[in-house]
Amino acid sequence: MTMELIYSVTFKRRSFLQFLGASALAAGMVHPRRAMPQESPAPQMCNDGYLVLDPGFFFPDAPPDALAAELGTADLATPILMPCTVPLLRHGDQTILFDTGAGPAFMETAGSLSASLESAGVPTDQITDIIFTHCHPDHLWGVTDDFDELAFPNAHYHLARKEYDFWTSADAMGAMPENLHNFVAGAQTRLPRIAERTSFFEDGAEPLPGIEAIATPGHTPGHCSFLLHLGDDPLLLTGDVFSDPLTVRYPDWSWGTDQDPATASATRRRMIDRIVGDQMRVAVYHMPPPGFGRIEMGADGAHWVQEG
């Protein structure tokens, strides 16, 4: 089944869920903030496939009646298909990815980033930099390919120090529920492979000039969003702060892989306030393709407003 057909079926099934497609910063260093040139293009959102999720995992704490109403069906057994799109930014002589997709080892419906890059005229060996939002499988595991080789052989990596320290710690496995132990095993297999090529950053630093890191914890301990200072039109990449339009509409509904639900909810509310207050344009990894939009406040709360 093609992605286009899946999108069509899902639109009919659930109207709320639509689908997608300079120097490194060492730890402790902060570059003076400067905007990217006005002519810098906005990121291109590259399709990495989709995740197949059980509704009970999707929003495990949502009131069943409310969730069923939002899904437009009383059948909460039908899998939900969640798109994955990876931002690609071409800036001067740098070709930058934000996350690496799922790769071949996580879920058979995901892991198509390399093919998407080839279609966009960007072979994987031309990627110069990869900036991670966090280390969940659908964002990290694509660093290795079908042959367990580095998928981006010439890339330099950028990761929040707090995120790296958590996933590589001896305590990480015990901090995760048993059904997510493979998340830890996968991170601890891959992160050491890229450690010598990785620069670590803190909240507020710039992994690369014009790209500001914003700590947005809760989904994972060191989860980061990134504000791209693209001239007069900044763009905020939020990773998995939001994972679906319903996470904007109901920020207190925990998402199935929020490691610290209370902190994740507080982060969503804080980011909603900032996005609305600053009228910011946003790009979100799991929103309907191409993933760009804004958040607007209505009488009944915040709403995701899709572009395109």
Side-chain angles (χ1 to χ4, degrees):
M1 182 180 292
T2 66
M3 283 295 291
E4 290 77 14
L5 179 56
I6 291 168
Y7 292 162
S8 176
V9 171
T10 306
F11 275 121
K12 295 176 182 178
R13 179 69 171 168
R14 296 180 174 86
S15 60
F16 86 97
L17 186 58
Q18 307 161 49
F19 284 97
L20 292 171
S23 56
L25 179 68
M29 295 175 61
V30 178
H31 294 285
R33 182 162 299 135
R34 59 184 177 86
M36 290 182 174
Q38 189 74 24
E39 64 271 15
S40 292
Q44 178 179 350
M45 301 296 273
C46 298
N47 174 38
D48 189 50
Y50 60 97
L51 306 180
V52 181
L53 304 174
D54 183 272
F57 179 82
F58 190 59
F59 285 115
D61 300 327
D65 290 347
L67 181 58
E70 291 290 352
L71 294 177
T73 176
D75 180 7
L76 294 183
T78 302
I80 289 173
L81 310 182
M82 173 173 281
C84 302
T85 52
V86 179
L88 167 70
L89 178 65
R90 297 181 240 208
H91 172 52
D93 60 357
Q94 294 172 304
T95 305
I96 306 163
L97 281 177
F98 293 85
D99 298 330
T100 60
F106 180 52
M107 193 175 287
E108 63 180 11
T109 55
S112 58
L113 176 60
S114 294
S116 296
L117 290 172
E118 291 286 348
S119 296
V122 184
T124 55
D125 61 2
Q126 291 184 11
I127 300 298
T128 62
D129 295 88
I130 295 170
I131 304 175
F132 290 105
T133 62
H134 65 298
C135 294
H136 277 167
D138 53 324
H139 297 257
L140 169 67
W141 287 16
V143 295
T144 53
D145 62 17
D146 293 289
F147 303 99
D148 200 32
E149 300 292 338
L150 291 180
F152 305 94
N154 299 315
H156 188 79
Y157 302 90
H158 309 263
L159 177 61
R161 167 61 73 180
K162 185 174 183 179
E163 185 74 354
Y164 180 85
D165 287 349
F166 169 75
W167 289 100
T168 57
S169 72
D171 298 329
M173 195 70 78
M176 299 290 282
E178 186 174 355
N179 67 318
L180 299 183
H181 281 184
N182 65 320
F183 284 25
V184 179
Q188 293 188 345
T189 297
R190 291 164 177 81
L191 289 175
R193 298 275 304 276
I194 63 173
E196 292 186 356
R197 299 184 181 202
T198 302
S199 295
F200 302 101
F201 58 83
E202 308 294 337
D203 180 25
E206 291 188 346
L208 293 171
I211 301 176
E212 176 189 355
I214 302 170
T216 46
H219 188 63
T220 64
H223 186 287
C224 278
S225 300
F226 299 97
L227 182 59
L228 277 55
H229 295 273
L230 299 170
D232 295 329
D233 187 22
L235 177 70
L236 182 64
L237 309 181
T238 61
D240 280 5
V241 172
F242 308 105
S243 56
D244 181 88
L246 287 179
T247 56
V248 175
R249 181 71 186 89
Y250 300 99
D252 293 330
W253 284 10
S254 66
W255 161 237
T257 52
D258 283 346
Q259 189 168 339
D260 181 341
T263 299
S265 174
T267 292
R268 280 190 286 273
R269 289 188 173 278
R270 172 170 58 87
M271 294 301 285
I272 288 170
D273 288 344
R274 179 171 182 177
I275 292 164
V276 172
D278 293 343
Q279 299 183 339
M280 300 174 74
R281 188 166 177 251
V282 186
V284 184
Y285 197 91
H286 291 301
M287 287 295 190
F292 296 108
R294 298 181 184 273
I295 296 176
E296 296 181 357
M297 294 298 295
D300 56 348
H303 295 267
W304 172 253
V305 180
Q306 181 77 15
E307 287 186 13

